[in-house]
Amino acid sequence: MSNIIRKLLNIVSVTIVIFSFFSFNNANAEKCGSTDPIIIPLHNWTSQLVMSHVVGQLFEKIDCRVFYEPSDVQGVFESIRVGDIIITVQIWERSFSKLYKQALSKGGIVDAGNHDAITREGWWLPDFVIKMCPGLPNWEFLKKCSNMFARPDSNGKGVYFDGPVEWLHDTRRIEALGMNFVTTNVKNVNDLWVEIENANKAKKAIVLFNWSPNFTDSLYGGQFVEFPEFDKKCEIDKTWGINPNMTHDCGDPAGGYLKKAAWEGMSKKWPRAYKLLKNINFTTKNIGDMAVYVDVDQMPYAQAARSWIIDNKETWKPWLLNLE
Ligand code: TMO
């Protein structure tokens, strides 16, 4: 073959590739409703990151484009309301319902339904710690055994490892229940898992903020600390509960919802993706598994999502039916 013919052939094949790429994209756009990407927020805990990629990859299966945007979890509902971000797939009742309700009342954001998974968040003990102090996970025994939870820099007080400060957790409970504990906020969420692993290796007691579903469910067993049962009055009425002078003398609610929501304009702009979002419904096991791919198997988030999709076809295939 002469050089000129080879060059011509190259140009032709490159042109075909470019042409088919664009026409392919146009066909896709028609099916999806818009060529604009559906913007999906990324927060800082594993199951949210993997689930967001799973949902994004399912959107791509129905010919929509997606864009992942790192996002501050406190500001995400406001961004959705104004259409800067299009969906969110993990609204945890305990952490985010206040902000979510405020956004709903202002308008621009719509509820896209609940997952089957029931959520819980709060003070948590792995099984190996529960065995160290008989009576755990009852809080009165945690209080009694506080010295087991001390660290070199805590002046003999027990240490409660809490999430990053930007999660805005209330720490009044320690004082309200007269517990000899101090709070240490981790910098990165992953530090929580490093602390459990270190404690497990050293057979040292640890109590930390955790949630379920999470990868720890299958790796460490574990239970949430049983504080006096949550009551709405506990957070606003000082006289309620065992401490007559302080609010927050109770635990976190035992079960909460996990919701999805979307920008109000989504159903018009990307109608099939909106229906798919409404169909999407993860169980506790689905969500724990998503975190295991990353926090145990060390996969990157997008790859973890691909693995989850390959391993769980029977779960998501029905969600893609009847999108018209
Ligand atoms: C909302 N979170 C799972 C981090 O507690």
Side-chain angles (χ1 to χ4, degrees):
M1 228 187 311
S2 83
N3 254 351
I4 290 196
I5 293 184
R6 193 172 290 149
K7 268 188 192 147
L8 273 177
L9 276 179
N10 264 346
I11 290 172
V12 168
S13 62
V14 166
T15 311
I16 288 173
V17 167
I18 290 175
F19 182 78
S20 54
F21 178 76
F22 277 108
S23 56
F24 179 67
N25 255 2
N26 281 341
N28 287 352
E30 251 162 53
K31 277 198 210 159
C32 182
S34 171
T35 45
D36 290 349
I38 299 169
I39 301 172
I40 302 175
L42 299 179
H43 300 317
N44 59 357
W45 65 97
T46 303
S47 68
Q48 194 276 347
L49 289 154
V50 179
M51 185 188 290
S52 295
H53 281 89
V54 167
V55 172
Q57 289 171 25
L58 293 179
F59 284 167
E60 286 172 341
K61 282 189 192 296
I62 59 162
D63 304 313
C64 292
R65 292 177 61 214
V66 297
F67 182 80
Y68 302 99
E69 180 141 316
S71 158
D72 162 21
V73 64
Q74 303 299 333
V76 73
F77 302 117
E78 199 53 32
S79 300
I80 295 174
R81 250 174 35 72
V82 298
D84 287 344
I85 284 176
I86 306 305
I87 66 165
T88 180
V89 295
Q90 281 202 9
I91 306 172
W92 291 64
E93 180 166 9
R94 179 64 179 158
S95 294
F96 310 128
S97 61
K98 262 190 208 138
L99 288 167
Y100 177 51
K101 276 188 207 147
Q102 281 170 11
L104 277 177
S105 70
K106 288 199 226 162
I109 183 170
V110 289
D111 196 291
N114 292 19
H115 298 284
D116 275 347
I118 297 298
T119 58
R120 187 156 181 189
E121 296 155 272
W123 291 50
W124 179 89
L125 300 158
D127 278 344
F128 71 85
V129 176
I130 290 172
K131 288 188 202 124
M132 291 178 179
C133 168
L136 290 178
N138 180 294
W139 73 280
E140 286 169 287
F141 293 88
L142 185 62
K143 186 171 168 170
K144 264 190 208 145
C145 291
S146 68
N147 62 323
M148 287 173 45
F149 294 82
R151 291 295 183 273
D153 54 357
S154 70
N155 286 326
K157 291 185 179 222
V159 171
Y160 167 58
F161 292 95
D162 202 346
V165 275
E166 64 268 22
W167 285 358
L168 307 177
H169 288 155
D170 200 300
T171 53
R172 276 174 281 186
R173 176 181 300 137
I174 289 176
E175 195 189 335
L177 292 177
M179 299 180 73
N180 191 32
F181 272 82
V182 287
T183 300
T184 296
N185 289 98
V186 293
K187 257 180 101 180
N188 301 304
V189 180
N190 199 53
D191 297 337
L192 290 173
W193 322 138
V194 172
E195 293 292 349
I196 304 181
E197 208 182 322
N198 290 345
N200 191 22
K201 276 191 196 133
K203 291 295 159 226
K204 175 110 190 82
I206 182 167
V207 58
L208 64 149
F209 178 78
N210 197 358
W211 53 89
S212 177
N214 198 357
F215 80 98
T216 46
D217 296 335
S218 57
L219 204 63
Y220 294 106
Q223 289 180 58
F224 289 90
V225 175
E226 285 160 12
F227 286 108
E229 203 171 314
F230 175 81
D231 189 297
K232 275 189 186 133
K233 282 195 200 124
C234 167
E235 293 189 332
I236 46 177
D237 181 355
K238 287 183 185 167
T239 62
W240 184 96
I242 58 176
N243 183 339
N245 304 312
M246 265 191 88
T247 59
H248 292 81
D249 44 351
C250 67
D252 294 298
Y257 64 59
L258 187 67
K259 271 186 181 297
K260 306 158 287 174
W263 172 56
E264 183 177 65
M266 184 185 186
S267 60
K268 278 221 178 77
K269 189 166 177 182
W270 300 275
R272 300 174 79 235
Y274 180 67
K275 286 203 180 121
L276 172 52
L277 177 68
K278 285 183 48 169
N279 289 347
I280 284 170
N281 177 3
F282 294 108
T283 63
T284 297
K285 176 160 191 317
N286 293 155
I287 296 169
D289 288 350
M290 286 179 198
V292 168
Y293 288 118
V294 174
D295 291 323
V296 182
D297 302 337
Q298 308 288 320
M299 283 184 201
Y301 304 118
Q303 191 191 327
R306 280 191 289 277
S307 297
W308 187 88
I309 284 176
I310 289 168
D311 295 344
N312 292 275
K313 291 200 178 76
E314 71 293 347
T315 301
W316 56 263
K317 283 225 160 129
W319 300 340
L320 268 61
L321 305 174
N322 305 318
L323 298 178
E324 306 314 323

